[in-house]
Amino acid sequence: MADRATVEDGARARPARARTFDVPESGRTIDIALIFGLSVAFGLVGTALVLGGSVSSFYNLPSVLIVLIGTFAVTLVSFSLTELMGAFGAVLATILPKRYDHRLAGERGLNLAAIARDNGVLALDHVLPVIESEPFLQRAIAMTVDGATPHQIDQVLAQEIDAVQDLRHRYAGVLRRAAEVAPSMGLIGTLIGLIQLLGNLNDPSSIGPAMAVALLTTFYGAILAYMVLAPIAAKLERNAEAELLECEIYHACAMSIARQENPRLLERLLNTKLPPSQRLDYYG
């Protein structure tokens, strides 16, 4: 609490311009759009199945195995097991994504710049424990406090941003590849079912199960690809773009502090990055 008070006192060094240095305790929230969208989509499919007849006729274990395990196996050929597991972890993270407020991020950076300008860069050392919930910002400010040159800060932070974004897009690429494979596995299952059907036309009892495998694998493949994998891949890419903008804001703030620039210049720079509806008016 003492550290937080120090930050807030430092931020008030400019009486008419100070803003609350707010770092939320929890930076994650439930993605209502994701849950609502998937719920409505599967709800509509389920309703159609119920109204159309027997739901049990839409379940076939061989079809499920062909699509799920087949999609996993073929996708694994294109990526490593670590990347595949990381993609599954990223899917789970989309349910509780980090909450990004780019305007608030800009205000945090301007508060830090004001503290550094009024009290010196070393005064930011007391701020580091307060911003531990923002690891990238904490590392960026720590480099300025440690006396790194603007060139060093720019090089390290730019490389870190590139590495993180490459990882995020790689996970989205895994899901997009799986979305391409799933319908193909459905088609393979359909071919298997048709071959079984044509090979046993003299046995009427085998026609039904063979036809079920033929049709349901295509159904499962389409559901998995177009209702789950592709939309979540798009969500991962969207979250990556939001994370990139926040990192760029913190990057610009650290560079400005290291160069000992006037915070007004930093505000103008940040406003070129922010959408018009989130522009800063810290200095009017």
Side-chain angles (χ1 to χ4, degrees):
M1 296 300 296
D3 288 336
R4 186 177 294 274
T6 301
V7 174
E8 292 177 349
D9 290 343
R12 294 190 189 100
R14 295 180 178 274
R17 302 298 183 187
R19 302 295 177 89
T20 302
F21 194 88
D22 182 25
V23 179
E25 295 298 327
S26 175
R28 294 186 177 274
T29 182
I30 296 177
D31 192 332
I32 301 298
L34 174 65
I35 296 176
F36 178 76
L38 290 177
S39 298
V40 171
F42 278 99
L44 290 174
V45 173
T47 301
L49 298 184
V50 171
L51 295 178
S54 174
V55 178
S56 61
S57 63
F58 286 88
Y59 171 74
N60 183 269
L61 182 58
S63 298
V64 173
L65 296 178
I66 290 173
V67 172
L68 292 183
I69 299 180
T71 298
F72 176 86
V74 175
T75 304
L76 184 58
V77 174
S78 302
F79 299 92
S80 68
L81 184 60
T82 301
E83 290 173 324
L84 202 58
M85 293 298 99
F88 284 132
V91 169
L92 296 178
T94 59
I95 300 176
L96 289 171
K98 180 181 177 181
R99 180 175 54 243
Y100 294 102
D101 187 332
H102 297 124
R103 179 183 175 86
L104 179 59
E107 290 184 347
R108 288 175 190 156
L110 288 175
N111 269 297
L112 292 172
I115 294 172
R117 184 173 179 82
D118 293 338
N119 304 307
V121 174
L122 293 180
L124 296 178
D125 187 46
H126 300 288
V127 180
L128 296 178
V130 182
I131 58 177
E132 61 182 3
S133 62
E134 296 290 338
F136 184 85
L137 176 62
Q138 187 182 48
R139 289 191 293 272
I141 298 302
M143 290 186 67
T144 64
V145 172
D146 292 340
T149 66
H151 176 71
Q152 291 172 330
I153 294 173
D154 180 49
Q155 188 175 39
V156 172
L157 296 184
Q159 289 178 351
E160 182 173 348
I161 291 174
D162 289 342
V164 171
Q165 287 298 302
D166 178 69
L167 186 62
R168 299 288 185 265
H169 288 291
R170 195 179 309 164
Y171 289 158
V174 171
L175 295 183
R176 291 202 178 278
R177 176 57 180 161
E180 295 173 358
V181 170
S184 300
M185 294 308 302
L187 178 59
I188 291 173
T190 297
L191 295 175
I192 291 173
L194 291 177
I195 291 171
Q196 292 175 343
L197 174 63
L198 296 175
N200 294 280
L201 289 178
N202 57 345
D203 183 7
S205 64
S206 66
I207 295 178
M211 184 60 72
V213 173
L215 296 179
L216 287 178
T217 48
T218 298
F219 174 71
Y220 292 152
I223 291 289
L224 181 62
Y226 303 120
M227 289 180 57
V228 179
L229 296 175
I232 292 180
K235 177 70 73 172
L236 286 178
E237 291 174 342
R238 179 186 179 279
N239 291 344
E241 290 175 359
E243 181 182 21
L244 174 61
L245 179 55
E246 182 177 88
C247 288
E248 288 180 342
I249 290 172
Y250 291 150
H251 183 187
C253 292
M255 292 293 295
S256 178
I257 293 171
R259 292 168 178 160
Q260 300 182 356
E261 295 176 343
N262 190 314
R264 293 178 183 272
L265 298 177
L266 175 60
E267 180 185 55
R268 296 191 186 99
L269 174 61
L270 295 181
N271 280 338
T272 64
K273 298 178 179 293
L274 293 170
S277 61
Q278 298 183 26
R279 295 285 173 81
L280 299 166
D281 57 352
Y282 193 92
Y283 288 99

